[in-house]
Each structure stands twice: as structure tokens, then as C-alpha cells.
Amino acid sequence: ECLKTRERLASEAGLEPSVAMQELYECFGEDFQNSITAQQKELQGALSKFGKAVEKHFIPDISKAMRDKELDREVLDQVVAQHIYREGNFELGDTFVREANFHIPGHEKEPYTMMHSILEQIAKRNLGPATEWVHAQRALQPGDQSLDELEFKLHRLRFIQLVEEKDSGRKSALKYAREHFGSFSGTQ
């Protein structure tokens, strides 16, 4: 009988939801309603207990997680200076270092200056410095797969540049491909 009621309610498009609910309630009976209500109360109780357990074990105030240790001003200054250099603001970084009255060794600043000079060359469509950097890094980090991937992408970009050239672009691109892509034939 409940299936017939369900099918009839599904076929009647303009039926009011309250009327449909009343008919379903009558079909299923009060025991079904009480069963659903009991299950819902049980679920709500478990959910409430879970929320209280989370609040009890996890401290919401982040300041309590901080140690009562003095912040090392020199380390903080170095981190800030390195960030400024990483962003390519070398003059600002030098001014910050001078005004904070500390020294950053040149070998810590050098990778950032090199990175930004390579990025400038790439923006000018000169991939030579980037390729040279990859070769230098390969000597320092043999077997690094990401260097192989980067070198392949640089060679692919150079190949595309050569193809796009108007005068003898295809010939020079084919020559370039023969010279540089052969070493990548065994890699994925």
C-alpha cells in the first residue's frame, strides 16, 4: 500500500508538500516516525559529544601554542632580508641590512641575484643563461630528475623559438633538435 501511495504522490505534480507528507505519515505509521526521531536524537547527541571533545583537546587560542622564548632579532632580520632579496628588491634589501645594522654574506645574496638575472634574460627570450645554470646544477646534484625536466623544457622552448624565425628557422630548428633532444630519448 505504501508503494502505491508513493507512486501516486510522484505522479501528481501539483500536490501540496504538506498533504504529501501527511499521506506518507499515515502510510508508514507512528512507529516509523518514532524510529526516525530516535535515530536523529542519537545522531545529534553523538555530534554534540564530538564537538565538545574537539574543543577540549584542541586549544583554539593560538597564542598558547607559542613558547615563552625571546624572539631572536638577528634571525628575524636575516629572514626578512632574504625575503626582500628573493623578491628581487636588491636596493631595498641592502638598505634594510644597513639600517638593521647586520651583515649578510655575499654567498647568501648571490643565488637571488643570479636567479633574477636569469629571469631577465628569459624575458628577453635568451635561454642560454638558464641552460648554463641547469648544467652547473647537474654537476652539483647528479641524478636530479627535475633538472632533466627543466633542461628538456628549455630546449623545447628554444626549438619553438627557432621554428618561429622567418629566415632558415626550420633548418636551424632541426639542427638544434638533433644536437639537444637525443639525450632525452631514454627518459620519460
Side-chain angles (χ1 to χ4, degrees), residues 2 24-40:
C2 291
L24 286 173
Y25 178 71
E26 289 171 4
C27 177
F28 286 109
E30 195 169 316
D31 290 339
F32 183 72
Q33 174 80 17
N34 292 339
S35 171
I36 289 178
T37 304
Q39 288 176 359
Q40 181 140 3

Side-chain angles (χ1 to χ4, degrees), residues 19-177:
V19 173
M21 289 300 294
Q22 183 63 33
E23 286 188 34
L24 286 173
Y25 178 71
E26 289 171 4
C27 177
F28 286 109
E30 195 169 316
D31 290 339
F32 183 72
Q33 174 80 17
N34 292 339
S35 171
I36 289 178
T37 304
Q39 288 176 359
Q40 181 140 3
K41 284 181 183 178
E42 184 180 332
L43 178 65
Q44 289 296 330
L47 191 59
S48 175
K49 289 178 185 176
F50 177 73
K52 290 177 183 176
V54 167
E55 289 176 7
K56 180 180 176 182
H57 288 95
F58 294 104
I59 303 168
D61 187 7
I62 191 81
S63 66
K64 292 180 181 175
M66 296 287 295
R67 292 180 272 161
D68 291 334
K69 186 176 179 184
E70 187 71 27
L71 188 63
D72 189 352
R73 183 69 181 190
E74 186 175 334
V75 171
L76 179 63
D77 289 343
Q78 286 179 344
V79 169
V80 170
Q82 287 177 352
H83 173 74
I84 293 170
Y85 288 139
R86 186 179 306 114
E87 293 295 314
N89 297 320
F90 299 108
E91 289 180 36
L92 177 63
D94 291 340
T95 303
F96 177 78
V97 167
R98 189 173 49 256
E99 289 182 6
N101 199 23
F102 73 98
H103 176 71
I104 288 200
H107 69 275
E108 289 186 20
K109 182 180 172 183
E110 182 183 344
Y112 304 119
T113 57
M114 183 183 303
M115 176 182 69
H116 282 282
S117 67
I118 290 172
L119 290 173
E120 286 176 13
Q121 291 301 310
I122 290 174
K124 295 177 184 176
R125 299 178 53 96
N126 178 8
L127 303 174
T131 307
E132 290 171 11
W133 180 85
V134 168
H135 289 289
Q137 291 303 307
R138 182 170 289 118
L140 297 173
Q141 304 170 33
D144 187 350
Q145 191 75 18
S146 62
L147 290 173
D148 292 338
E149 293 171 15
L150 178 59
E151 183 180 13
F152 178 77
K153 288 178 181 179
L154 288 169
H155 285 307
R156 182 180 64 189
L157 190 56
R158 179 65 184 141
F159 174 78
I160 292 169
Q161 286 177 342
L162 291 171
V163 168
E164 290 174 347
E165 287 181 5
K166 292 181 182 179
D167 301 328
S168 71
R170 291 185 182 202
K171 282 185 179 181
S172 57
L174 285 173
K175 181 181 176 193
Y176 186 85

